[in-house]
Amino acid sequence: PELRARYACGDEALIGHLSNFRWVKRPQDVIRTFHRVAQHHQARLLMIGDGPDRETAERLADELGVGEQVSFLGADLDVETLLPQLDLVLLPSEQESFGLAALEAMACGVPVIASNVGGLPELVEDGKSGYLLPLRDVEAMSARAIEVLSHPELHAKLKAGARARAEQFDRASIIDHYEAYYAQVLGQDP
């Protein structure tokens, strides 16, 4: 509660984005999505990380009039204590080989709204632990975020689903999965 109060006031929703702020992570789409969400909900956006597109995202937040509601926190912070404070994570990536940021958020019980690209569909179960949407569809991402934040029972369901899904990615089961796959490819019995 104390940490959350540092970033959000009262009932404000706390939305996050975690990345290296490169074009492939589409931080400007995060700002555009948040701009739409902020028209319907009292909310704050935490931009966690740093990279070459940070300045462009900061400028866009100011241009859209949400600069005061967006905090750019940089990369040197204790992410594992910050993530559980969030209500939602936005990941509109252009490409994603695995989606570690999504898994980290989900492990903290935070639903993820992400692009339906790369490894993200392996992690995020659409409608169970978050939502997967078409690439660059800021309108759909905004609509889903507004829906989740407007319905506490849906939000609670997605939080529980996110945590449960993340628990399926423990190291032992992943290693077993890969060993079985390699054995199959090599034509051997596991």
Side-chain angles (χ1 to χ4, degrees), residues 21 27-28 50-62 72:
F21 288 69
Q28 290 87 347
D50 211 345
D53 283 358
R54 176 180 172 161
E55 189 176 308
T56 305
E58 288 175 329
R59 223 177 10 258
L60 181 60
D62 288 338
F72 288 83

Side-chain angles (χ1 to χ4, degrees), residues 175-190:
I175 290 171
D176 290 346
H177 177 75
Y178 276 111
E179 286 177 347
Y181 177 72
Y182 289 137
Q184 178 187 355
V185 169
L186 296 172
Q188 303 171 351
D189 289 326

Side-chain angles (χ1 to χ4, degrees), residues 8-65:
C9 301
D11 291 339
E12 285 181 320
L14 200 51
I15 300 170
H17 171 74
L18 175 65
S19 79
N20 59 14
F21 288 69
R22 296 185 186 288
W23 70 269
V24 73
K25 303 298 183 177
R26 304 190 64 78
Q28 290 87 347
D29 281 358
V30 174
I31 300 297
R32 289 182 189 99
T33 299
F34 178 74
H35 172 251
R36 290 171 181 245
V37 171
Q39 294 172 16
H40 298 271
H41 283 280
Q42 292 294 317
R44 299 272 176 176
L45 174 62
L46 301 184
M47 298 290 279
I48 305 163
D50 211 345
D53 283 358
R54 176 180 172 161
E55 189 176 308
T56 305
E58 288 175 329
R59 223 177 10 258
L60 181 60
D62 288 338
E63 288 169 13
L64 293 176

